[in-house]
Amino acid sequence: MEKFKNSFQELKAKWPMYKFKIQIMWTKFWLTAKMTIWWIIVAAMVGLAVGAFSSAFAYCLHKVTAFRTVNTWTLFLMPITGLIIVFLYRTVGFEKDPGTNVLIVAIRKDKKAVPALLAPVIYIATLLTHFCGGSAGREGAALQMGGSIGSTIGRIFHIKEKDRKVFVMSGMSAAFSAVFGTPMAAAIFPMEMVSVGVMHYAALVPCVVASLVANVFSSNMGISAEAFHIQHFPVFGVVPGIKIMFLGVCCAVLSMLFCEILHTISHLYSHFFKNPYVKVVAGGLIFIALVKVFGLTDFMGAGTGLIEEAIDGKVVFYAFILKIVMTGITLGAGYKGGEIVPAFTTGATFGYVFGCLVGLSPSLCAAIGMISVFCGVTNCPIASMLIGFELFGFEGVRYLILSVAISYMLSGYNGLYAEQIIMHSKFHTKYRYRFSEEDTFSTSDFGHRDKK
């Protein structure tokens, strides 16, 4: 009894100190909770705004593609639509369109806002490109729209510059999720793509919330997610595993080839055609000639039809090369869209050919190739795996993660986005870059980034 009494007296004496600690803990928890609730609310607003805009974009894109498929004469309007696109960009002051790189710069650096006009301009330009059958994707355009809308909402609410980049990332997540229907990958992709190896986890809650809200919104608006069915899953073992590792190696090489061909064609256009109006008309005429002379109608548009054909086993063996070239001719000339779906198409068509050659399920190899090439061109292995899980399920997860890992390691330090920074070495546990005082990046002793 005496011992209990002494303990009570000691606790009573120390109670003011414990009370103060509890108050500090409660204050910290409440401040954190308020900040979390605030981010959830504003991220939901971004998800609704971007989800509505992106759903309208996906709907219009579907209608435009359906109209173009029936009315093949729209192909001959390609030079005219190109002139409209160049005029539109130059009118609003986007003479040199940096594409998705403008979002990366806005996230990496303060005082680099995303132009508010980028969303409507890329919206119209991408629809015009698809109206005449240009070989371009839609997710790249969606990312730019989402980032622009997110940044604009941040400015409307007078958010400080350091937090505005979170709005950009959450807008990108919402747009990717609404258009492509992969909310898990959409939540991670913007955080991973900017500086690979150092993810912006402060944006995790806003990106997740915005992605989910936009996905639900687009689903209720009738925008269905992509769905692909793999015909056969072989039992995982040593021999199939080695074949899939070799597929990952080939996809790494193909991803570098994809980026290099796109960059080279763009440089050739700029070298021979100094005037942007002449360049876009020349590109349109070249595209029309290739389609009509060689009958390349299957390579018009984003290429989702080719992906389905590859997974179903009905694609020609040289399709992956043609898709790269046709995409380079379209985007290099100045037409607008994205490179992500063409990269998917390139990987899927190559994977089908690989599966036929090595005696492994061509349907599975098409799916694995599709994700592995995407990983190679974006340097985003986590987002790539999540896209694979959401599109194809978990039955082939062993094959998927193995090929994606190999493709990421061997795909080099360049990709689609010139402003992307790969912070960690792909072979050693060390940084390749360090932050400078201006919140920019400087090279370490590992090597230098190729600025294209």
Side-chain angles (χ1 to χ4, degrees), residues 55 88 136 198 299 330 432:
S55 296
L88 182 62
V198 179
F299 299 90
T330 301
R432 296 182 66 243

Side-chain angles (χ1 to χ4, degrees), residues 91-169:
T91 300
V92 299
F94 296 160
E95 287 85 359
K96 294 183 178 180
D97 175 32
T100 308
N101 287 299
V102 70
L103 306 178
I104 297 176
V105 173
I107 295 170
R108 275 209 348 255
K109 300 178 181 180
D110 297 331
K111 300 181 181 180
K112 295 288 184 179
V114 181
L117 288 175
L118 180 61
V121 167
I122 191 65
Y123 185 108
I124 297 171
T126 304
L127 290 180
L128 289 174
T129 299
H130 281 264
F131 176 77
C132 56
S135 178
R138 60 186 186 272
E139 280 72 26
L143 289 174
Q144 294 177 51
M145 289 190 299
S148 175
I149 295 172
S151 178
T152 302
I153 293 176
R155 287 197 293 271
I156 291 174
F157 282 95
H158 302 289
I159 304 300
K160 58 184 179 181
E161 293 171 349
K162 286 186 176 295
D163 287 338
R164 200 176 297 165
K165 59 185 66 178
V166 178
F167 280 77
V168 176
M169 285 186 280

Side-chain angles (χ1 to χ4, degrees), residues 170-186:
S170 59
M172 294 168 67
S173 292
F176 196 98
S177 178
V179 173
F180 205 62
T182 54
M184 287 196 301

Side-chain angles (χ1 to χ4, degrees), residues 25-106:
M25 291 174 60
W26 171 252
T27 301
K28 289 181 177 180
F29 173 79
W30 177 238
L31 289 175
T32 304
K34 286 198 299 183
M35 182 61 68
T36 302
I37 293 171
W38 185 84
W39 273 120
I40 290 174
I41 293 173
V42 296
M45 294 175 60
V46 172
L48 283 173
V50 177
F53 200 85
S54 299
S55 296
F57 172 70
Y59 175 80
C60 292
L61 198 60
H62 174 74
K63 291 297 182 181
V64 164
T65 303
F67 182 85
R68 185 257 304 167
T69 303
V70 176
N71 301 276
T72 56
W73 54 265
T74 58
L75 172 65
F76 297 100
L77 298 178
M78 196 165 185
I80 298 175
T81 58
L83 290 173
I84 296 173
I85 291 171
V86 174
F87 175 78
L88 182 62
Y89 268 75
R90 294 176 71 85
T91 300
V92 299
F94 296 160
E95 287 85 359
K96 294 183 178 180
D97 175 32
T100 308
N101 287 299
V102 70
L103 306 178
I104 297 176
V105 173

Side-chain angles (χ1 to χ4, degrees), residues 24 26 32 39 65-66 163 174 194 233 251 277-278 282 299 313 323 358 361 367 403 416:
I24 293 295
W26 171 252
T32 304
W39 273 120
T65 303
D163 287 338
V194 177
F233 289 96
C251 287
Y277 291 102
V278 176
F299 299 90
K323 188 59 181 177
V358 303
S361 170
S403 181
L416 286 177

Side-chain angles (χ1 to χ4, degrees), residues 180-203:
F180 205 62
T182 54
M184 287 196 301
I188 298 300
F189 183 58
M191 295 189 295
E192 187 179 19
M193 70 175 290
V194 177
S195 50
V196 180
V198 179
M199 294 180 65
H200 298 261
Y201 286 111

